[in-house]
């Protein structure tokens, strides 16, 4: 019998595993855009730990191995900013990214006593990242903005109502 993937809250003990997985997962994005200086590839362990402390992170485990992760935080205006949804290359195309996205949305939709109610979910990806764009659109996200970061990369911001 195979192992099943479990999703749970990330904590400081997961930070190093998440960072290694993030580095692996963003190689394909760096290649797609011809830029190996993108933030997910240069982020420090301390910066990742700070993100986990300031917001909420989830990890997906196959047995003891972290095979996917996502992080998010809510702004004072009620916007949940979802970031760095990553899935190990060998685990892609099995619905795990969608499961993580659903789980992080559920977490923030259910936060009792939040300073401001959640109004929307927002995330971004590169304009050439068709797999990401397809996933986000399938989950109800719509493009609300673009921002050119250089000749090779335009960020596409997508959001949906909470």
């Amino acid at each position: 019998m195979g192992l099943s993937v479990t999703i749970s809250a990330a904590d400081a003990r997961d930070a190093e595993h998440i960072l290694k997985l993030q580095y692996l997962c963003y190689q394909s994005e760096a290649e797609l855009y011809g830029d190996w200086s993108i933030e997910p590839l240069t982020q420090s362990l301390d910066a990742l730990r700070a993100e986990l402390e300031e917001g909420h992170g989830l990890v997906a485990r196959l047995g003891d191995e972290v095979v996917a992760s996502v992080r998010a935080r809510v702004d004072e205006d009620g916007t949940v900013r979802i970031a760095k949804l990553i899935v190990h290359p060998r685990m892609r195309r099995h619905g795990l990214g969608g499961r993580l996205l659903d789980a992080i949305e559920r977490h923030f939709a259910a936060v009792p006593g939040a300073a401001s109610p959640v109004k929307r979910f927002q995330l971004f990806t590169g304009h050439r990242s068709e797999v990401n764009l397809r996933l986000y659109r399938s989950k109800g996200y719509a493009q609300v903005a673009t921002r050119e970061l250089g000749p090779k990369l335009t960020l596409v911001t997508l959001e949906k109502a909470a």
Side-chain angles (χ1 to χ4, degrees):
M1 180 192 280
L3 296 172
S4 63
V5 173
T6 58
I7 296 174
S8 60
D11 62 32
R13 294 171 296 190
D14 295 315
E16 191 171 336
H17 299 287
I18 294 169
L19 189 63
K20 287 177 183 177
L21 180 62
Q22 177 176 300
Y23 188 81
L24 173 67
C25 291
Y26 274 91
Q27 294 296 312
S28 58
E29 291 292 300
E31 187 172 340
L32 184 62
Y33 296 100
D35 184 357
W36 279 262
S37 67
I38 57 176
E39 191 269 343
L41 296 181
T42 61
Q43 186 175 30
S44 71
L45 184 57
D46 287 340
L48 189 147
R49 284 184 178 130
E51 281 183 7
L52 291 174
E53 288 177 22
E54 293 167 4
H56 185 70
L58 296 174
V59 292
R61 289 185 174 83
L62 182 62
D64 293 331
E65 180 186 6
V66 173
V67 294
S69 180
V70 65
R71 301 189 289 277
R73 62 181 172 76
V74 64
D75 288 348
E76 53 280 341
D77 70 352
T79 301
V80 175
R81 307 221 182 253
I82 300 171
K84 297 183 179 100
L85 174 60
I86 54 176
V87 177
H88 193 289
R90 77 170 190 277
M91 299 295 293
R92 292 178 183 161
R93 314 293 285 178
H94 296 287
L96 190 49
R99 285 179 56 199
L100 273 174
L101 193 54
D102 291 343
I104 201 79
E105 289 174 5
R106 277 193 310 273
H107 168 79
F108 281 98
V111 173
S116 63
V118 171
K119 296 175 185 166
R120 73 191 64 79
F121 298 100
Q122 190 176 83
L123 43 75
F124 63 87
T125 192
H127 70 288
R128 293 184 196 153
S129 302
E130 286 300 324
V131 172
N132 298 348
L133 290 165
R134 201 168 28 256
L135 169 64
Y136 302 148
R137 289 178 180 132
S138 77
K139 293 294 184 177
Y141 287 80
Q143 181 175 323
V144 295
T146 59
R147 187 176 71 176
E148 192 173 309
L149 295 184
K152 296 180 182 179
L153 175 60
T154 299
L155 286 183
V156 178
T157 301
L158 302 104
E159 72 178 33
K160 74 176 185 180

